[in-house]
Amino acid sequence: MSYKKLLTIQDISCVGQCSLTVALPILSAAGMETAILPSAVLSTHTAGFTGFTVRDLTADMDGIAAHWKKENIRFDGLYTGYLGSAEQIGTVKAIIGQLLAPDAAVIVDPAMADNGRLYPAFDAAYVEEMKKLAFCADFVLPNITEACFLTGMEYRERYDEAYIASLLDALTERGARTIVLTGVGYDESHTGVVVREGDGTRYYEHRKIAKGCHGTGDVYASAFVGALENGMSAYDAAVLAADYTVRCIELTQGDESHWYGVKFELALPDYLRMLGKV
Ligand code: PXL
């Protein structure tokens, strides 16, 4: 039986329920050996906390990758999230060329922006480098803000289906393969995800829980990768990840002290059920 070995590259936010502290448990639950390459270590995530510490780990990455190469370590899939710097993205691209098995899927969550704005650590140079990574991936998972930064299209808070179609077209023209566009909702009480794969585009709409939560992009992407690597289609994996993320938010809402993330741990039994593992 094949036992998949996935590599995920994103930061360790020591506190804050995002990036690697979310990806590792979710991918482990999905039944995959998961290796990590931390892009940076932060005391907390940068969305809402102030005074956080950051240590960029770009300088360590080439040595780690060289050691893996010497040991003949190869990965069956790569999933990238929040990266440390524009310069680091070049190192990540080199890893794709050197450390992946021939059929390995490359999944890029261009985790760099939300609500019309870049995250505090990022600038135009980061966006330029992220374009190169996102457009060489097999699957790219932007939210609407990130899709705008990747394409140069105008960000809109309110939009219609024609706007979303042109955003998908712009991503495709620039080289995106399978696109999973998250946070797409046409009225106040719904949100959803649009999946464009080849010539087909499908939309999954679901209830929007009023409260916006930090870290849900990482929960979503990790759950998507786990489902995809279990053999689900991109659309089915996108739907499953949406249902799981909604469940995580449901289990968190009402607890005002838990503003910085979602209690995804409590919903891991639901995730296993959705994957048909229990
Ligand atoms: O959830 C995305 C994310 C990951 N890592 C860090 C972040 C954020 C979002 O703000 O700040 C450090």
Side-chain angles (χ1 to χ4, degrees):
M1 200 182 120
S2 80
Y3 187 56
K4 289 206 172 175
K5 193 192 310 200
L6 189 90
L7 173 64
T8 183
I9 309 180
Q10 42 191 313
D11 72 282
I12 298 176
S13 285
C14 299
V15 168
Q17 283 175 310
C18 68
S19 35
L20 280 179
T21 65
V22 164
L24 260 179
I26 291 177
L27 292 167
S28 301
M32 255 154 284
E33 178 180 344
T34 308
I36 61 168
L37 183 50
S39 58
V41 179
L42 296 90
S43 52
T44 64
H45 64 60
T46 65
F49 293 101
T50 51
F52 44 82
T53 68
V54 186
R55 181 173 300 273
D56 178 89
L57 296 180
T58 307
D60 295 277
M61 283 185 152
D62 282 334
I64 292 172
H67 180 216
W68 288 343
K69 212 173 155 197
K70 198 163 140 262
E71 295 286 342
N72 276 322
I73 293 168
R74 291 282 178 280
F75 300 101
D76 306 306
L78 171 69
Y79 154 38
T80 69
Y82 186 106
L83 301 175
S85 61
E87 179 205 349
Q88 189 182 90
I89 298 175
T91 305
V92 171
K93 280 196 74 203
I95 285 174
I96 294 177
Q98 293 175 16
L99 288 164
L100 300 190
D103 292 336
V106 175
I107 303 139
V108 170
D109 176 359
M112 61 181 175
D114 206 359
N115 300 315
R117 300 167 64 146
L118 284 176
Y119 293 148
F122 300 139
D123 57 13
Y126 187 91
V127 174
E128 285 311 305
E129 290 303 310
M130 183 54 79
K131 287 181 187 172
K132 296 179 194 158
L133 182 63
F135 295 137
C136 78
D138 299 298
F139 301 85
V140 62
L141 282 72
N143 58 34
I144 293 177
T145 305
E146 289 156 350
C148 289
F149 278 107
L150 290 173
T151 58
M153 267 184 67
E154 177 205 3
Y155 173 76
R156 293 193 196 155
E157 266 173 37
R158 289 174 183 278
Y159 45 80
D160 56 13
E161 288 180 26
Y163 171 81
I164 295 298
S166 50
L167 205 45
L168 291 166
D169 288 344
L171 287 164
T172 305
E173 276 161 24
R174 284 162 181 75
R177 294 183 202 145
T178 300
I179 304 164
V180 179
L181 184 65
T182 59
V184 179
Y186 299 107
D187 63 57
E188 292 297 318
S189 52
H190 292 91
T191 186
V193 53
V194 182
V195 179
R196 176 172 286 186
E197 199 171 14
D199 293 337
T201 302
R202 291 170 79 184
Y203 178 46
Y204 179 62
E205 183 184 66
H206 57 85
R207 189 165 62 91
K208 180 173 181 176
I209 304 176
K211 189 173 178 290
C213 293
H214 296 303
T216 49
D218 298 340
V219 168
Y220 183 87
S222 303
F224 173 84
V225 172
L228 190 76
E229 294 288 348
N230 268 278
M232 295 180 85
S233 70
Y235 180 75
D236 289 345
V239 169
L240 187 154
D243 292 345
Y244 173 62
T245 307
V246 168
R247 186 76 192 116
C248 295
I249 299 171
E250 279 171 354
L251 291 167
T252 309
Q253 66 180 347
D255 182 352
E256 293 306 319
S257 69
H258 209 97
W259 59 269
Y260 51 85
V262 288
K263 300 175 183 174
F264 72 95
E265 303 89 348
L266 297 177
L268 283 174
D270 299 289
Y271 184 54
L272 290 176
R273 269 191 291 278
M274 292 171 189
L275 288 173
K277 291 194 180 286
V278 289

